Amino acid sequence: MQHLAYIIWDFDPRLFPSLFESIGIEPRWYGVLFATGFLLGFNLMKKMLKHENYPEEWMDSLLIYVMVGTIIGARLGHVFFYDWAYYSQHPGEILMTWKGGLASHGAVVGNITAIWLWSKYKAKMPVLWSLDRVVITIALAGSLIRLGNFLNSEIIGEPADVPWAVIFTRIDMVPRHPTQIYESIGYLLIFLFLHQSYWKKKKGQFKGWIFGWFLMLIFGFRFAIEFFKENQVAFEDGMSLNMGQWLSIPLVFIGAYFVWKSSDRKIEPKEAE
């Protein structure tokens, strides 16, 4: 293969290393994008609350719930779905998120749990009402997080000879599918669809419609894109479908169920549990 025909990627994932190394910390662009996702989501959700005449003060508690749910869920998802053989022998490292290891499927479970708790104990609203709105922001955050994975040269794709293949020099000199970019673009398009569905098509009045489409689109796309990715852990090498695909299948069907049932769940203004 002629390396000059491909994109050479040798980006330093550290944030201004010459500035921060002197004080002993190592922030990364990934963290900036992760935080940006939460910030944009905060403002989008705040706008939706204002549009529906609900208290904007809800955002303070919702942000905390979602952040904690995302981090705990993503970490435990990685531990139990992808690397339990290691962490079962090193339980003291389970909470060491700075060493890497977050799983998007776990983040979804953590988010849903956090939103359920927030809906029940803080907002006193139906959980599907909350999910239909919060998942719009999650799709946007997912796009930014995958861009952060690209900057980190992680979650790389299979070797490829397409013109847009990327050589991640921090990994090897093999041209690969930039699957992080594929996912980032895909999640951005899904965000735009969900955003339009809420604001233009008024689908937020049907409980579960937006949430259902979120699950179907995000994890249907995730299932497809996994065929272009390198396996993340060794035990996946002997599997016909990898762990990410097996975890995506039930979520797609669950999403289809919520869309199907949403026509029976039209929400009334100021509906509360």
Side-chain angles (χ1 to χ4, degrees):
M1 295 182 180
Q2 296 294 321
H3 289 174
L4 292 179
Y6 304 109
I7 300 168
I8 307 297
W9 188 251
D10 188 27
F11 184 82
D12 189 337
R14 297 172 299 171
L15 180 67
F16 307 125
S18 59
L19 174 64
F20 289 106
E21 280 182 350
S22 60
I23 55 177
I25 60 176
E26 194 178 86
R28 294 182 171 239
W29 289 105
Y30 176 91
V32 173
L33 290 166
F34 195 97
T36 300
F38 275 104
L39 179 62
L40 292 177
F42 179 92
N43 286 290
L44 284 170
M45 187 67 188
K46 189 175 181 180
K47 184 178 178 182
M48 286 186 275
L49 290 178
K50 184 177 181 180
H51 173 70
E52 298 184 43
N53 296 314
Y54 288 105
E56 294 180 39
E57 292 75 17
W58 282 358
M59 286 307 306
D60 295 333
S61 58
L62 178 59
L63 180 64
I64 294 172
Y65 273 74
V66 170
M67 286 185 67
V68 172
T70 298
I71 295 170
I72 293 178
R75 182 58 173 176
L76 294 181
H78 172 77
V79 169
F80 291 111
F81 296 152
Y82 289 98
D83 212 0
W84 179 239
Y86 175 83
Y87 287 103
S88 63
Q89 303 300 315
H90 303 84
E93 296 185 27
I94 289 178
L95 298 180
M96 297 181 182
T97 57
W98 57 89
K99 289 190 173 184
L102 300 173
S104 58
H105 292 87
V108 169
V109 174
N111 263 305
I112 292 173
T113 303
I115 293 166
W116 176 78
L117 291 170
W118 179 82
S119 301
K120 185 174 180 64
Y121 296 107
K122 289 292 184 178
K124 310 295 184 182
M125 293 292 291
V127 66
L128 285 177
W129 177 91
S130 304
L131 287 169
D132 281 334
R133 286 144 184 81
V134 175
V135 295
I136 299 173
T137 72
I138 292 174
L140 178 58
S143 177
L144 293 172
I145 288 170
R146 280 296 181 253
L147 183 57
N149 294 138
F150 181 75
L151 299 184
N152 272 350
S153 296
E154 61 189 3
I155 313 182
I156 58 176
E158 293 275 4
D161 59 0
V162 294
W164 58 86
V166 175
I167 297 175
F168 296 95
T169 59
R170 293 173 181 267
I171 305 297
D172 53 32
M173 295 303 293
V174 178
R176 298 177 178 277
H177 283 289
T179 48
Q180 315 97 320
I181 299 299
Y182 297 168
E183 284 195 81
S184 182
I185 294 172
Y187 297 159
L188 179 60
L189 293 175
I190 292 169
F191 159 73
L192 293 173
F193 168 74
L194 299 177
H195 186 271
Q196 191 79 350
S197 296
Y198 174 84
W199 288 104
K200 300 296 184 182
K201 299 181 180 180
K202 310 301 181 184
K203 292 297 186 180
Q205 63 184 311
F206 296 99
K207 288 189 290 184
W209 194 95
I210 294 176
F211 175 57
W213 274 106
F214 167 84
L215 291 178
M216 284 197 296
L217 292 173
I218 289 286
F219 292 104
F221 183 74
R222 174 70 184 271
F223 180 90
I225 211 70
E226 289 293 323
F227 287 111
F228 300 94
K229 283 185 184 178
E230 285 269 303
N231 288 330
Q232 295 187 53
V233 288
F235 74 78
E236 292 181 310
D237 293 341
M239 300 169 65
S240 56
L241 299 176
N242 65 27
M243 180 60 74
Q245 290 172 312
W246 283 115
L247 293 172
S248 294
I249 292 172
L251 292 172
V252 171
F253 282 103
I254 291 171
Y257 170 79
F258 279 112
V259 172
W260 173 53
K261 295 294 289 183
S262 64
S263 60
D264 301 329
R265 299 191 181 113
K266 187 171 182 179
I267 197 167
E268 298 299 328
K270 290 288 185 180
E271 180 180 350
E273 289 183 329

